[in-house]
Amino acid sequence: MERAITRKNVGYFGCLYAGYLKVYYPEAYERFIAREDHIDLLKKYNVYCHEHMTLLLEILRNEAGFCSRKVLAEGLQQDLYDFIIKKTKEFVFDELTDLLAEGSWMSA
């Protein structure tokens, strides 16, 4: 039985990667979801990205004094925080796609 790919069962980045494949590489997406272990792979991708994101945010906290969104003033400070988080997520996801693209030669 095929399990649906949702944020709840594969995580944010796992779901993002599945959507990325579906939009930009539909043939690869079909081959990917035909794999018996595709849910497990998406979970692994999510863990990789989540750990990387945590590390980057910890560096921001320690080196740049980055703090929680809820202690920031509404408006520009929270908008800047949201922008930094968005760009960090994009950076982490781009690194995942680069890493997987580099590894694609192994499965060809």
Side-chain angles (χ1 to χ4, degrees):
M1 181 171 121
E2 182 180 324
R3 289 176 43 192
I5 297 171
T6 64
R7 281 182 68 175
K8 185 175 182 176
N9 69 352
V10 297
Y12 172 78
F13 289 105
C15 197
L16 191 62
Y17 183 71
Y20 167 81
L21 278 182
K22 191 173 192 175
V23 170
Y24 295 106
Y25 302 99
E27 291 176 9
Y29 174 77
E30 292 301 323
R31 285 193 314 270
F32 181 74
I33 62 168
R35 291 179 59 131
E36 204 171 294
D37 64 345
H38 73 279
I39 295 291
D40 293 331
L41 289 172
L42 291 173
K43 287 178 183 179
K44 287 179 185 179
Y45 301 159
N46 184 68
V47 168
Y48 167 82
C49 289
H50 186 358
E51 289 175 352
H52 199 81
M53 180 96 182
T54 301
L55 177 65
L56 290 174
L57 291 177
E58 195 60 34
I59 290 169
L60 282 172
R61 279 186 197 97
N62 291 331
E63 301 297 322
F66 200 64
C67 60
S68 171
R69 186 181 195 279
K70 56 186 159 189
V71 301
L72 299 173
E74 288 185 24
L76 184 59
Q77 286 185 346
Q78 288 185 351
D79 290 346
L80 181 57
Y81 177 92
D82 294 341
F83 176 77
I84 291 169
I85 294 297
K86 178 181 179 230
K87 289 301 178 184
T88 305
K89 285 180 180 177
E90 289 174 1
F91 175 74
V92 168
F93 184 69
D94 287 347
E95 285 190 334
L96 172 68
T97 56
D98 288 348
L99 178 66
L100 292 174
E102 288 292 324
S104 69
W105 64 270
M106 296 174 63
S107 60

